[in-house]
Amino acid sequence: MTKNKTAQPNRQLRMDLSVSLGLSLVAVFFIISGIVSYLNIQTLKRDSDQIGHTHEVLLGLNNVLSTMKDAETGQRGYIITGQESYLEPYSDALTGIEEQVLRIEQLTKDNPDQQRRIAPLKSHIAAKLQELGAGIEMRRSEGLSAAVARVATNRGKEDMDAIRAQVALMQDTEGDLRQQRIIEMKDAYDTAVVSVAVTALIGVLLSIAITTMISRASAARRREEWLQAGQVGVSAAMMGEQRLDQLGHSILAFLSEYTQASAGAFYALTDGAYRRTAMLGVPEQNTVPATFTPKDGLLGQAVSEGKPILLHDLSESHLSVGAALGQWRPRHLLISPARSERTVDAVIELGFLSPLSDLTRVLLERVSETISVAVQTANYRANLQNLLEETQRQSEELQSQGEELRVNNEELEEQGRALKESHARLEQQQAELEQTNSQLEEQA
């Protein structure tokens, strides 16, 4: 009996010890799981911040290249027209390019490879700006012909090509870093999922809370990644010196593929009116308006209000989707204006056969200013091209008139030589007559 009484406390003690040990192990497990989850979340947050950081670097590099292109375009415009207003992009480049490069230098201070590329980039930018300034001074001092002749020698092309190459190299490096960080985020996400799954075996409520938290973070990350990738894709589609119709088609092509739109139309503000410059997925025989004003229909409403219009479950629309087997009308429409400051420079209309998410509207709002600036640049470039063609036409006319004057001068010189020869022959005949007369007088 005493043995049993002694054994019972011993068993209780062992059970208590087992429970305590089990609780301790559970506590340790939860602490480890919490630490692992915390580290994974920090990794996700860090990689997300780094991806945003990389995006800032890419946008900064795009701004540097765009600023230099605008400076070069402004110089050409001033050389052609002689108007000081065309030098605004060049003046902005002089005052702002250093700050832009410094911003990139600060953003990449943790990357030695990128830091080594900053100095050559600054050198080429300085050389290019110096060459642009020399052309402007020549236009002011020696006139249009000398400045145009200097531009025709392609001075500064090597520096501009070097700037493009250096920017492209830095963009490739940032793209590789972003891909690595995305992979790290995926690995961290997988680890977090495994940790949550194991933790769920011990505490269902805790596992649900952690799963919800991670799911929300992942959804927000995927949403942001989708939006950022869409912004980068739109910027890439607009790169290069594209005409307005090419620009509209490039934007529609990317957006239709990225958002799974079935049809689309692009309107740009040119000469005070909104004109359709591109369509995608729409048959040739259609009812899409070629132009509109801010008072015309939903397109004009989007311009007046300056914000997107989203329509669902439409029975009829002026957009139609054409294919070999027939035509369909989109059931859902998104009309989005592209504006910078207070001006709406373009309107994009996308048609969808199936319902679209709100992300598409958010994406178009984010790229609104970028598209607006691109349309302004395309119009600016087109105006410069027209001025250049007009200058060339006038130059050709002057050359043609000069050639006609030269031909007339040659004809006059030929006639003068003929008159001199005729006069000489007359003098010779007169001398012969006088000699003949003398002989006749002697004979008489």
Side-chain angles (χ1 to χ4, degrees):
M1 189 72 176
T2 303
K3 183 177 180 182
N4 291 336
K5 287 182 180 180
T6 304
Q8 186 172 358
N10 291 335
R11 286 197 301 271
Q12 186 67 38
L13 180 60
R14 288 195 299 270
M15 290 180 62
D16 292 339
L17 289 174
S18 298
V19 171
S20 299
L21 181 61
L23 290 175
S24 300
L25 292 175
V26 169
V28 171
F29 175 80
F30 274 108
I31 291 173
I32 295 174
S33 299
I35 293 173
V36 172
S37 298
Y38 175 79
L39 292 176
N40 284 326
I41 291 172
Q42 290 300 312
T43 301
L44 287 172
K45 184 177 182 300
R46 184 185 70 249
D47 289 336
S48 179
D49 293 340
Q50 289 176 343
I51 289 175
H53 174 84
T54 302
H55 182 64
E56 288 185 23
V57 176
L58 290 173
L59 288 179
L61 291 169
N62 284 336
N63 289 337
V64 168
L65 188 58
S66 178
T67 299
M68 293 305 299
K69 288 181 179 178
D70 291 344
E72 187 177 47
T73 303
Q75 185 235 29
R76 300 289 173 84
Y78 172 74
I79 288 176
I80 293 172
T81 63
Q83 297 180 11
E84 293 290 335
S85 59
Y86 283 92
L87 290 179
E88 291 182 4
Y90 170 77
S91 301
D92 293 340
L94 290 179
T95 57
I97 192 67
E98 183 177 356
E99 181 179 352
Q100 293 177 2
V101 175
L102 180 61
R103 174 63 175 165
I104 295 173
E105 186 175 7
Q106 292 174 346
L107 290 173
T108 59
K109 61 183 179 181
D110 58 342
N111 190 327
D113 293 335
Q114 295 288 58
Q115 287 290 296
R116 284 193 295 270
R117 296 174 183 136
I118 294 296
L121 180 61
K122 288 182 178 178
S123 175
H124 290 302
I125 288 175
K128 182 60 181 176
L129 290 176
Q130 183 179 5
E131 187 275 331
L132 293 177
I136 292 172
E137 291 300 322
M138 179 170 287
R139 175 63 173 86
R140 288 171 176 166
S141 61
E142 300 182 23
L144 174 63
S145 300
V148 170
R150 178 185 177 88
V151 172
T153 61
N154 288 328
R155 293 186 181 180
K157 183 178 184 298
E158 292 181 359
D159 290 318
M160 195 63 190
D161 292 340
I163 292 172
R164 290 191 179 96
Q166 202 72 9
V167 168
L169 184 60
M170 296 179 73
Q171 287 176 333
D172 292 341
T173 300
E174 292 297 327
D176 294 339
L177 289 174
R178 181 175 60 184
Q179 187 63 31
Q180 293 175 6
R181 289 160 183 168
I182 290 175
I183 294 174
E184 290 176 3
M185 290 180 69
K186 183 179 182 301
D187 294 339
Y189 176 77
D190 294 339
T191 304
V193 171
V194 172
S195 175
V196 170
V198 174
T199 305
L201 298 175
I202 301 174
V204 176
L205 294 177
L206 183 59
S207 68
I208 293 175
I210 295 175
T211 303
T212 302
M213 179 182 63
I214 293 179
S215 298
R216 288 178 179 177
S218 300
R221 174 176 55 82
R222 287 192 296 270
R223 170 190 175 97
E224 190 61 26
E225 286 180 357
W226 189 86
L227 291 172
Q228 289 183 358
Q231 289 178 262
V232 173
V234 170
S235 298
M238 296 188 300
M239 289 185 66
E241 298 182 355
Q242 304 183 50
R243 298 192 311 271
L244 200 56
D245 56 338
Q246 294 173 335
L247 181 67
H249 186 271
S250 298
I251 294 173
L252 285 181
F254 174 78
L255 288 177
S256 63
E257 180 180 359
Y258 198 69
T259 63
Q260 298 181 351
S262 302
F266 186 89
Y267 293 86
L269 180 61
T270 56
D271 299 329
Y274 292 92
R275 305 181 188 278
R276 189 186 68 217
T277 60
M279 291 191 305
L280 193 68
V282 181
E284 293 184 0
Q285 297 179 351
N286 59 78
T287 58
V288 181
T291 61
F292 74 90
T293 66
K295 297 181 180 180
D296 293 340
L298 293 174
L299 294 171
Q301 180 182 346
V303 173
S304 301
E305 297 178 356
K307 59 183 181 180
I309 297 176
L310 188 60
L311 303 174
H312 294 286
D313 299 324
L314 297 175
S315 58
E316 290 291 336
S317 66
H318 58 255
L319 278 181
S320 62
V321 182
L325 299 179
Q327 296 183 10
W328 302 269
R329 296 285 181 180
R331 297 290 305 279
H332 312 273
L333 283 180
L334 175 60
I335 303 173
S336 179
R339 61 182 299 171
S340 58
E341 298 178 353
R342 297 182 179 179
T343 304
V344 175
D345 293 288
V347 177
I348 302 172
E349 183 174 5
L350 298 175
F352 301 83
L353 297 177
S354 57
L356 66 153
S357 67
D358 191 57
L359 276 177
T360 303
R361 178 187 61 80
V362 176
L363 173 61
L364 288 177
E365 287 181 342
R366 287 195 180 186
V367 301
S368 171
E369 184 175 357
T370 305
I371 294 175
S372 176
V373 172
V375 170
Q376 292 177 9
T377 303
N379 279 325
Y380 183 72
R381 191 183 301 115
N383 291 334
L384 285 180
Q385 183 63 31
N386 291 335
L387 289 174
L388 179 60
E389 291 176 355
E390 179 65 19
T391 303
Q392 291 176 343
R393 184 185 63 79
Q394 292 175 356
S395 176
E396 291 174 356
E397 289 179 355
L398 290 175
Q399 290 178 355
S400 176
Q401 293 175 359
E403 182 66 21
E404 291 178 358
L405 289 174
R406 186 184 63 80
V407 172
N408 290 335
N409 287 334
E410 291 178 352
E411 291 178 354
L412 290 174
E413 289 176 356
E414 183 65 27
Q415 292 175 1
R417 285 194 297 269
L419 289 174
K420 288 181 180 179
E421 292 176 358
S422 177
H423 181 69
R425 286 195 298 270
L426 289 175
E427 288 180 346
Q428 183 179 0
Q429 291 176 359
Q430 183 176 2
E432 291 175 354
L433 286 174
E434 289 178 352
Q435 184 178 3
T436 302
N437 290 334
S438 298
Q439 292 175 355
L440 291 175
E441 288 177 357
E442 291 176 355
Q443 293 175 2

